[in-house]
Amino acid sequence: MVEAASSLDALQRVRAAVKAHFGFDGLRPLQEEAIGCVLAGRDALVVLPTGGGKSLCYQAPALVLPGVTLVVSPLISLMQDQVAGLLEDGVPAAALTSALDRDKKRRVESQLERGELKLLYCSPERLVGDGFLARLERWNVARLAIDEAHCISHWGHDVRPDYRMIGELRRARPDLPVIALTATATPRVREDVAAQLGLKEPTILVGGFDRPNLCYRVKPRGDILQQVLEVVARHADRAGIVYVQRRADADDLAARLKERGVRAAAYHAGMDPSARESTQERFLAEELDLVVATVAFGMGIDRSDVRFVVHASLPKGVEQYSQETGRAGRDGDPAECVMYYGGADFHGWKNLIVASAKEALASGVEGAMQDVDDALERLSDMWRFATGATCRHKGLCEHFGQAFAVPPGGCGACDVCLSELAVEPDSRIVAQKILSCVVRCEQRFGAAHVCDVLRGASTERVRRYAHDRLSTFGLLKEHPAPKLRNWIDQLVGHGHLRVTEGEYPVLVLTRSGAEVLKGGLDVLLHAPAAAPSRARRKSLESGSVADAEVELSGADADLFERLRALRRDMARERGVPPYLIFNDKTLREMARLRPGDEAGLLAVKGVGEAKARDLGPAFLAAIAGT
Ligand code: ADP
Ligand code: ZN
């Protein structure tokens, strides 16, 4: 009782201090809960979207509690902004970063010695060395706040190796309560963050992920300059960010936009620091409306009136996408997020992921292969989101493990609900054909196989199960495989099909799927963007298909990826480089022909008898498992 009363009292004091220092009339519900934890000295993990008000969760209690709150944060510029803001609000705070000169550092330290500071910001690499840990007690550091906490997780999209230093701090001072904060955390990352930080029975507070003021659109990329100009025209003279994949693209696009009279500038890690800083400052000072940036830009940008965020290509994961689009509309006013994508983006990322893993593997980095699988999985999620036709708000919320009920008339703030996507005219019939094929295959096969049957591919497996004799065999052969595969994904997204869990996921019909099949329920399918893949475009341009890589359909491409994973495992087991097992060409052919036995395997180019005997069984099992 006494404790409850005193914490209530403390909360009142926090409210008063928040009003006095920041001028806020109240705390948001989740902030109140988080602050309650800090006041009670309990560990907490706070997951709130960008703009959700995370900082207040540790700043506000710091105002009333005794001792110093140590805030670990990844970016110096971010810390400097925060400290400057706090000082403005009359909160004694400082940052210890490598950017400080000797004198400034000494000044901060003597402020700490005299007990004059409430908040101390610190970059993770400063935590160790310099006798830092030993001095925490003298400085009366009483609790920790870990900002951007996902940076510690291996599963996160933005791992920062120096975040591992926090572990040392935790070991040295296990008594300090911790509040960890992040904007983007899937349930898996969330658990990992709690484990890595060694949180003790943490209260996990997850805020609503939906950003109702953002309108999401995803479109195939055409002439990107024109496309960006269209978006800019909708938000004349307002702030925006365009994300591009490569530095050269940033320079190029920014220059061309400038020619068209847009107050734009580039921002990327390849520029010299002063030029970069100047772009950032001019953007903050509203001398620039538009920044064309690689992902290096945005963290720590405190311009809350960004009206639009454009992605000029597919981001490499939904986490990035959500974080980058999250920089729009932080003031709560409507803002627009438009992504332009093409199939080439997917392949570009994939090549990059694989290449960097090869490099890591070559230099003996452990876990490099696991990283590839994770990165590819995140990329596939992103692709599914982009090509999907489910409400974007729903898709994003569900990615982060939250339910989102789409209102009957649609959310009103995404291209899907606003009916802006190109609709397949024969949606209902196409859907019925797919659903019926799932039923004909006795709901015992995965999307890859169903897709093969529908496109009339005479694979070994199709023949083995006599699926070439099904009435649905070749029923949709006029459509390219990736499109078919995407439609299946859309039906899963709509909830008409379900993918079972387990080692060999199969497609099954849901109750609503059965309704669609009977004609009792209508369904709309969208025509996804069909950008030619890089290999294909090259071959079209050069006029020769002969030496271009054989394009794999979605289904075959999936199998190809699985075979590569198997190859990696076997290579690791045997301590040889993967290409010595089988090369890509051989795996690709395997994925296309899908041999069912050793003789079939021997017919694949690049498979000799020794390998067929030695490696064959594992590969045949993998092929049979699709
Ligand atoms: P995050 O770190 O989660 O991205 P911030 O801490 O920067 O979010 O807060 C986002 C915005 O919300 C800031 O402009 C901040 O001043 C404002 N804000 C935070 N908490 C409150 C509150 N309780 N009442 C009013 N405004 C708030
Ligand atoms: Zn919607």
Side-chain angles (χ1 to χ4, degrees):
M1 224 25 228
V2 174
E3 198 187 323
S6 73
S7 72
L8 210 62
D9 192 41
L11 203 56
Q12 288 302 352
R13 282 191 293 135
V14 168
R15 281 209 192 85
V18 161
K19 176 75 183 151
H21 285 281
F22 305 113
F24 301 154
D25 287 329
L27 300 172
R28 296 171 182 162
L30 202 126
Q31 285 176 333
E32 185 167 316
E33 282 185 68
I35 290 168
C37 285
V38 179
L39 292 175
R42 289 197 308 267
D43 287 356
L45 173 59
V46 177
V47 187
L48 264 179
T50 311
K54 286 184 288 299
S55 338
L56 203 68
C57 298
Y58 56 86
Q59 289 172 351
L63 296 172
V64 306
L65 288 173
V68 176
T69 300
L70 176 63
V71 186
V72 181
S73 178
L75 284 186
I76 292 177
S77 62
L78 194 78
M79 284 188 260
Q80 286 168 340
D81 289 352
Q82 290 241 1
V83 168
L86 286 167
L87 292 175
E88 290 284 325
D89 292 327
V91 181
L96 271 183
T97 70
S98 47
L100 289 190
D101 62 34
R102 251 187 133 82
D103 280 351
K104 288 218 181 92
K105 186 167 159 236
R106 205 162 287 151
R107 202 171 328 143
V108 172
E109 284 174 356
S110 61
Q111 280 180 306
L112 285 163
E113 299 287 343
R114 290 195 301 269
E116 288 174 3
L117 294 180
K118 282 282 160 207
L119 287 139
L120 175 66
Y121 284 75
C122 198
S123 38
E125 82 277 1
R126 306 279 317 170
L127 295 176
V128 290
D130 231 9
F132 186 85
L133 291 178
R135 279 184 287 175
L136 292 183
E137 200 153 359
R138 221 169 60 213
W139 292 342
N140 200 13
V141 167
R143 70 201 68 81
L144 300 176
I146 314 292
D147 207 2
E148 310 286 353
H150 61 274
C151 293
I152 201 171
S153 172
H154 193 65
W155 304 112
H157 55 91
D158 188 18
V159 197
R160 288 174 182 259
D162 48 11
Y163 257 58
R164 301 278 157 181
M165 310 279 188
I166 298 171
E168 227 163 292
L169 168 61
R170 290 287 287 147
R171 278 189 289 282
R173 293 297 304 275
D175 57 310
L176 298 179
V178 183
I179 178 169
L181 311 106
T182 175
T184 46
T186 54
R188 178 157 81 163
V189 175
R190 216 174 285 159
E191 275 162 34
D192 193 37
V193 167
Q196 299 285 340
L197 286 175
L199 300 185
K200 292 179 213 136
E201 295 174 35
T203 305
I204 298 186
L205 298 166
V206 183
F209 259 88
D210 188 42
R211 301 279 312 275
N213 62 319
L214 301 189
C215 183
Y216 300 99
R217 297 190 158 87
V218 182
K219 298 161 186 280
R221 183 173 52 243
D223 178 346
I224 191 66
L225 177 64
Q226 281 309 324
Q227 288 175 319
V228 171
L229 283 169
E230 274 165 32
V231 180
V232 169
R234 285 203 285 274
H235 307 275
D237 303 327
R238 306 299 306 274
I241 304 173
V242 178
Y243 284 106
V244 295
Q245 211 167 319
R246 293 171 317 154
R247 295 167 186 184
D249 298 339
D251 289 329
D252 180 54
L253 192 56
R256 290 196 291 157
L257 285 163
K258 256 196 326 218
E259 278 169 21
R260 304 298 191 96
V262 182
R263 297 197 302 170
Y267 184 100
H268 57 73
M271 290 160 52
D272 77 78
S274 65
R276 219 165 50 208
E277 211 162 289
S278 139
T279 298
Q280 180 161 331
E281 273 164 14
R282 280 159 60 220
F283 186 66
L284 286 180
E286 303 185 11
E287 291 166 21
L288 280 178
D289 295 325
L290 189 65
V291 173
V292 185
T294 56
V295 285
F297 183 77
M299 231 178 162
I301 290 302
D302 207 1
R303 187 162 174 184
S304 62
D305 64 341
V306 172
R307 292 275 71 84
F308 62 94
V309 167
V310 173
H311 281 89
S313 66
L314 188 83
K316 66 175 169 185
V318 181
E319 274 89 352
Q320 271 94 345
Y321 175 70
S322 145
Q323 193 161 63
E324 285 154 19
T325 52
R327 289 170 190 142
R330 288 176 61 171
D331 52 9
D333 285 348
E336 189 185 5
C337 308
V338 194
M339 183 208 302
Y340 296 102
Y341 75 104
D345 301 341
F346 182 86
H347 296 290
W349 279 123
K350 206 165 83 178
N351 293 343
L352 207 69
I353 290 166
V354 172
S356 66
K358 273 187 189 151
E359 227 167 77
L361 193 70
S363 53
V365 176
E366 275 188 41
M369 283 311 151
Q370 181 60 43
D371 290 352
V372 177
D373 292 342
D374 293 336
L376 290 176
E377 198 181 310
R378 287 196 288 268
L379 181 61
S380 299
D381 283 348
M382 187 69 245
W383 180 254
R384 259 197 301 279
F385 174 86
T387 56
T390 338
C391 169
R392 309 286 179 195
H393 285 268
K394 181 177 158 76
L396 284 172
C397 283
E398 288 183 347
H399 180 83
F400 294 106
Q402 282 188 349
F404 180 89
V406 184
C411 75
C414 81
D415 53 353
V416 179
C417 293
L418 294 170
S419 308
E420 295 176 357
L421 294 188
V423 173
E424 171 62 34
D426 297 327
S427 287
R428 180 202 288 240
I429 294 171
V430 168
Q432 286 174 335
K433 286 178 177 174
I434 294 171
L435 295 173
S436 131
C437 189
V438 170
V439 174
R440 300 270 167 212
C441 293
E442 298 173 61
Q443 311 191 55
R444 283 176 43 219
F445 292 84
H449 183 80
V450 171
C451 186
D452 281 346
V453 176
L454 284 164
R455 73 190 172 101
S458 176
T459 63
E460 209 279 328
R461 202 163 146 77
V462 166
R463 289 193 302 273
R464 176 150 35 108
Y465 289 96
H467 284 171
D468 46 355
R469 278 184 252 144
L470 291 178
S471 58
T472 52
F473 182 74
L475 203 54
L476 289 171
K477 63 173 178 294
E478 69 275 27
H479 299 288
K483 196 168 170 188
L484 282 180
R485 185 57 194 263
N486 180 256
W487 279 335
I488 294 176
D489 287 343
Q490 287 185 34
L491 289 171
V492 173
H494 285 312
H496 300 323
L497 284 175
R498 190 167 62 80
V499 182
T500 59
E501 307 266 327
E503 202 178 346
Y504 303 118
V506 300
L507 287 175
V508 297
L509 213 63
T510 62
R511 196 177 296 177
S512 72
E515 279 296 301
V516 173
L517 196 54
K518 278 192 299 198
L521 192 65
D522 216 355
V523 61
L524 279 185
L525 292 175
H526 296 272
S533 80
R534 195 166 291 173
R536 176 143 177 82
R537 200 168 51 212
K538 228 194 282 165
S539 72
L540 291 177
E541 279 163 8
S542 68
S544 115
V545 194
D547 55 351
E549 284 177 359
V550 184
E551 265 224 85
L552 293 178
S553 73
D556 296 346
D558 284 356
L559 175 57
F560 176 57
E561 289 311 329
R562 274 196 302 278
L563 294 179
R564 295 182 53 171
L566 173 63
R567 172 177 68 180
R568 282 196 299 268
D569 291 342
M570 297 187 92
R572 198 164 9 176
E573 224 172 79
R574 287 153 198 250
V576 298
Y579 69 83
L580 281 186
I581 302 277
F582 288 125
N583 66 24
D584 279 9
K585 216 178 213 147
T586 303
L587 291 192
R588 209 173 282 122
E589 221 190 341
M590 253 186 231
R592 219 162 41 81
L593 297 175
R594 301 179 182 227
D597 53 25
E598 196 177 310
L601 200 60
L602 280 167
V604 176
K605 255 183 245 141
V607 185
E609 280 179 13
K611 281 191 181 171
R613 221 176 19 243
D614 187 9
L615 305 164
F619 280 85
L620 288 172
I623 293 166
T626 58

